Amino acid sequence: MLLLNLKLIIFIVLSSFKLIDGLNDERRLNEYLFSSNSSNRYNPNIRPIVKSDSHLIVDARLGIKRLFEMDESNHRVVLFAVLFQKWNDDFLTWKPVDFGGIEYTYVDYSKIWNPNLKLVSNFNDKSPSDKSKDELYGNFPVKLFHNGTVQFSPAVHLTSECLINYGKFPLDIQACSFEFQMPYTGEQIKLRINVYYTDEENRKYEHMWDIDDFKVTTINEKDQKTSAIVQFLFRRKYKNFLYILPSYFVYVLTLLMFMLPQESNQRIIIGSTCLIISCLLSYFMSNTVPNHEISAWPLLGKLFLFNIVLLTFSILFSAFVINISRGNHTKNVPSWLRKVGLFFFPILIFFSSSL
């Protein structure tokens, strides 16, 4: 029993020394990299590259988690994503054997140089993507490897302007662009960026929108700031049946109405039914589309309005024909009406009357 307790004490003491030694290794590594007393003091404001005339390569990956918000009234789209960034820092290297085999460590991003890749937002309000770099990235540490490789993966909300075009509503596809930019030219920094989905199921947004496709355009020109434009295509997926199916029924009934004789009462009944349905569909669409200007309405809405006008005149004309066909025809035609019908009206239609 005494021997067992002695072994346990020795094990605890050795473990404590090993833990203290590991803490000392971390401390020594941090002092080695960022010591202010060193002659080669690290400066986070200088590009971490030995040859100043060469460019630094920054690899970025935009991992889309989900479409957070599609604000159609304010023409704004918000994405929740992970902006993975990777580059090489020539001034932050060490030999793992000199620091207890430590191959990587985590440091605060403000201590080292970073490419400052930010989204250029078009909104004046302080949305998450308009925050300062310290507010946006302060809670995400940087992973630093012994060979100088730096990895940074902050989770961000990306907010951008998206001008909604309702021309093909409700089967519309909206194109929204996100522009990322660095305060360096293409001669200093070369950006390589690609987009992927962290989960294919997250491409859907509450069954209302789908991320249909995307396109990436990178600008690495010498006389321009390094930037990248990511364009997403969002496809609307909801409320299709509320407009497509009723519109089919309305136009079938409208054609049926024109196939009936003019003196038929069913013509007025069917026309009135189609008119009421068209008015209801136009009302629903006016509540769905934020922009109430007629010029900004979708083609389907303009078709509803045209159908309302057409049905109104058709019903009035049918009522007029029925009234004439069932009226008293024993009276003579008034002389003024005879003159209009036989003399003035033929002149208007370029028809010569021999009567």
Side-chain angles (χ1 to χ4, degrees):
M1 187 65 180
L2 181 61
L3 182 61
L4 181 61
N5 291 337
L6 183 60
K7 290 182 179 180
L8 182 60
I9 293 174
I10 294 174
F11 175 75
I12 294 174
V13 171
L14 292 177
S15 299
S16 301
F17 277 115
K18 186 175 182 180
L19 179 61
I20 294 173
D21 186 58
L23 294 176
N24 290 334
D25 290 337
E26 289 279 356
R27 187 182 299 110
R28 287 191 304 107
L29 176 59
N30 186 74
E31 292 177 354
Y32 173 77
L33 296 175
F34 305 106
S35 177
S36 58
N37 299 325
S38 175
S39 58
N40 296 326
R41 181 181 177 181
Y42 184 81
N43 190 346
N45 299 319
I46 300 177
R47 281 189 311 138
I49 192 169
V50 176
K51 297 181 180 180
S52 58
D53 57 344
S54 59
H55 60 263
L56 180 65
I57 298 177
V58 176
D59 291 315
R61 287 186 298 165
L62 184 63
I64 305 300
K65 286 185 172 293
R66 63 170 299 193
L67 176 59
F68 189 77
E69 180 184 10
M70 176 68 81
D71 190 348
E72 299 183 38
S73 300
N74 298 318
H75 298 279
R76 181 180 65 178
V77 60
V78 183
L79 288 176
F80 182 51
V82 176
L83 185 57
F84 176 82
Q85 304 168 52
K86 179 182 177 182
W87 66 92
N88 195 75
D89 195 318
D90 294 342
F91 304 142
L92 294 178
T93 60
W94 72 90
K95 295 181 179 180
V97 294
D98 296 336
F99 299 94
I102 297 177
E103 295 185 351
Y104 64 89
T105 185
Y106 292 93
V107 298
D108 188 78
Y109 88 101
S110 60
K111 285 187 176 183
I112 68 172
W113 179 93
N114 60 83
N116 196 14
L117 180 62
K118 295 181 64 176
L119 175 70
V120 181
S121 179
N122 299 323
F123 287 90
N124 295 325
D125 61 317
K126 196 171 184 181
S127 58
S129 40
D130 294 329
K131 294 182 178 180
S132 65
K133 188 176 65 173
D134 294 337
E135 293 177 295
L136 190 61
Y137 296 150
N139 297 325
F140 299 96
V142 176
K143 189 174 183 179
L144 178 62
F145 290 85
H146 67 92
N147 59 355
T149 301
V150 182
Q151 293 182 358
F152 187 37
S153 305
V156 292
H157 284 82
L158 305 176
T159 305
S160 183
E161 183 180 21
C162 185
L163 299 178
I164 306 296
N165 183 3
Y166 292 98
K168 296 182 180 180
F169 177 89
L171 303 176
D172 52 333
I173 298 178
Q174 305 299 333
C176 307
S177 298
F178 294 79
E179 182 179 0
F180 298 88
Q181 196 175 83
M182 294 181 182
Y184 300 94
T185 62
E187 189 176 10
Q188 297 172 315
I189 302 291
K190 182 179 180 181
L191 176 63
R192 298 185 302 198
I193 185 171
N194 59 71
V195 181
Y196 68 100
Y197 302 104
T198 57
D199 188 354
E200 286 293 327
E201 293 296 326
N202 290 333
R203 295 174 62 176
K204 299 181 179 180
Y205 174 58
E206 298 179 358
H207 305 288
M208 296 169 59
W209 293 91
D210 272 358
I211 301 179
D212 195 56
D213 199 4
F214 59 85
K215 181 177 67 174
V216 181
T217 304
T218 307
I219 301 175
N220 289 310
E221 301 295 335
K222 293 184 178 180
D223 55 345
Q224 298 182 21
K225 288 185 177 180
T226 302
S227 60
I229 299 176
V230 183
Q231 185 184 67
F232 290 92
L233 298 180
F234 300 102
R235 182 187 298 272
R236 191 189 300 271
K237 286 198 62 179
Y238 76 113
K239 297 182 180 179
N240 294 357
F241 62 93
L242 293 180
Y243 300 102
I244 302 300
L245 293 179
S247 62
Y248 285 150
F249 292 128
V250 167
Y251 297 124
V252 169
L253 290 177
T254 303
L255 293 176
L256 178 62
M257 183 191 71
F258 283 104
M259 294 173 62
L260 296 175
Q262 285 289 344
E263 63 275 7
S264 175
N265 289 334
Q266 286 77 12
R267 186 183 178 94
I268 296 180
I269 296 174
I270 295 177
S272 301
T273 304
C274 294
L275 181 62
I276 294 173
I277 297 175
S278 298
C279 291
L280 289 175
L281 291 174
S282 299
Y283 174 75
F284 290 149
M285 184 168 292
S286 65
N287 291 335
T288 303
V289 179
N291 195 339
H292 297 287
E293 297 180 3
I294 300 298
S295 59
W297 265 41
L299 294 177
L300 188 60
K302 296 178 181 179
L303 188 60
F304 287 154
L305 293 180
F306 174 77
N307 199 43
I308 290 173
V309 175
L310 180 65
L311 289 171
T312 301
F313 280 102
S314 177
I315 293 173
L316 293 176
F317 185 73
S318 298
F320 178 73
V321 171
I322 292 174
N323 186 43
I324 291 178
S325 63
R326 297 181 180 180
N328 187 6
H329 303 291
T330 60
K331 297 181 179 180
N332 295 327
V333 178
S335 59
W336 65 269
L337 183 59
R338 180 184 293 273
K339 290 181 180 180
V340 171
L342 297 179
F343 295 99
F344 294 103
F345 185 72
I347 295 174
L348 293 177
I349 63 175
F350 302 99
F351 182 78
S352 61
S353 176
S354 60
L355 297 179

